[in-house]
Amino acid sequence: MKVYHGTNVRFERIDLSKCNPDNDFGRGFYVTAIKQHALQRAQNMADRYGGDPLLMEFEFDEKFLSDENYRTLVFKTPSQEWVEFVIQNRNRTLSKPVHDFDIVAGPIADDKMRRQFDRYAMKEITMEQLLEKVTYREPTHQIMLGSVIALNLIQPNEDFLFSKIEDFITSISIALVRDFNMDMLDAMNIVYNSDTFLKLMDLNTGFYHRTWQEIYEILQRELNRIS
């Protein structure tokens, strides 16, 4: 299935050490099958911390959620166990992680739910009342990948990436036409025959995470070395 990650920062690789340790399911890289949620997350991050909203798209095989080769935990719906797990992970006073699962999947305790969690923590409502309030709202979804072996299970969506790469090539070719007064065909030939293009097409390099302007600067450096 397609899963998405909304952010405000471009990065070439996922570094778990930079992930927030007190999210719903602990430290890890979070994705969701609901594209709109990822888009909203990206916008919220950009509004709060600056930068531009960015959407990353991956492929994830749901079979891994029940694969015995991985330590997994799945909450299909809001439950008492889910509430308690989220509260434990959000406890910033703990000195060590709550769990060692590779993958955790379940609902999101988002900002719309936070008030109800706070009311439960202050004993203003019971567990039953909390679950009633969070169950009858729009569905949410998230998957937390908490280990290196889990990160290897998500793959960038190739259709999405190659469409993005094609846009990069067009933008770079137009920039060459503008900056070097050449025709479009010559510009595209330069791009397609460059080492920069080979690196862009090799998904292992992570070049697709960069902007076309950054790729263009790399190409210019390559052309300067050749000349």
Side-chain angles (χ1 to χ4, degrees):
M1 67 176 174
K2 290 182 180 180
V3 293
Y4 308 91
H5 177 80
T7 182
N8 65 320
V9 178
R10 289 190 181 278
F11 49 87
E12 295 183 25
R13 67 183 184 88
I14 302 168
D15 185 348
L16 290 175
S17 69
K18 295 182 179 180
C19 297
N20 189 347
D22 52 8
N23 283 326
D24 288 358
F25 299 154
R27 188 190 298 276
F29 185 71
Y30 285 73
V31 295
T32 175
I34 304 176
K35 187 175 184 179
Q36 187 57 41
H37 287 179
L39 287 170
Q40 186 61 55
R41 168 71 174 173
Q43 187 63 60
N44 291 344
M45 293 288 288
D47 291 344
R48 187 176 302 176
Y49 302 111
D52 297 316
L54 304 169
L55 185 69
M56 301 175 67
E57 183 175 327
F58 303 91
E59 290 288 343
F60 177 79
D61 194 329
E62 290 178 273
K63 71 180 183 183
F64 293 123
L65 295 176
S66 57
D67 192 323
E68 294 182 354
N69 293 311
Y70 304 96
R71 295 165 295 184
T72 62
L73 178 63
V74 177
F75 299 100
K76 294 184 178 180
T77 59
S79 63
Q80 180 173 339
E81 291 75 18
W82 169 74
V83 170
E84 292 173 348
F85 188 73
V86 169
I87 290 175
Q88 284 181 317
N89 282 296
R90 286 183 171 180
N91 187 347
R92 299 185 178 183
T93 65
L94 298 179
S95 59
K96 60 181 181 180
V98 171
H99 66 84
D100 62 353
F101 290 108
D102 297 311
I103 309 170
V104 182
I108 303 173
D110 59 14
D111 290 341
K112 296 177 182 178
M113 293 187 185
R114 191 175 298 275
R115 171 57 181 159
Q116 304 306 326
F117 271 73
D118 290 342
R119 292 184 65 197
Y120 172 72
M122 293 184 290
K123 299 183 178 181
E124 293 180 1
I125 59 175
T126 65
M127 174 65 74
E128 290 74 18
Q129 290 172 318
L130 170 60
L131 289 175
E132 182 179 1
K133 290 178 180 297
V134 301
T135 298
Y136 297 105
R137 56 185 299 274
E138 66 201 45
T140 60
H141 171 269
Q142 62 183 344
I143 299 173
M144 188 281 295
L145 306 167
S147 66
V148 173
I149 63 170
L151 290 178
N152 290 333
L153 301 179
I154 58 171
Q155 300 296 329
N157 180 272
E158 291 191 0
D159 290 339
F160 171 79
L161 285 180
F162 289 137
S163 174
K164 181 178 180 181
I165 289 171
E166 287 177 359
D167 290 342
F168 278 8
I169 293 169
T170 299
S171 296
I172 292 170
S173 298
I174 291 172
L176 284 171
V177 170
R178 178 196 65 209
D179 295 341
F180 296 94
N181 193 29
M182 62 178 66
D183 63 41
M184 190 65 173
L185 182 58
D186 288 339
M188 295 186 74
N189 281 331
I190 288 174
V191 176
Y192 282 121
N193 288 296
S194 66
D195 288 339
T196 301
F197 171 74
L198 294 178
K199 292 177 181 178
L200 181 60
M201 293 298 294
D202 182 357
L203 302 185
N204 293 321
T205 66
F207 268 37
Y208 59 86
H209 285 314
R210 305 189 183 193
T211 64
W212 74 264
Q213 291 92 339
E214 291 171 318
I215 302 298
Y216 181 45
E217 290 179 3
I218 294 171
L219 175 63
Q220 286 179 301
R221 290 196 292 270
E222 177 187 343
L223 297 177
N224 287 335
R225 287 196 302 272
I226 294 174
S227 61

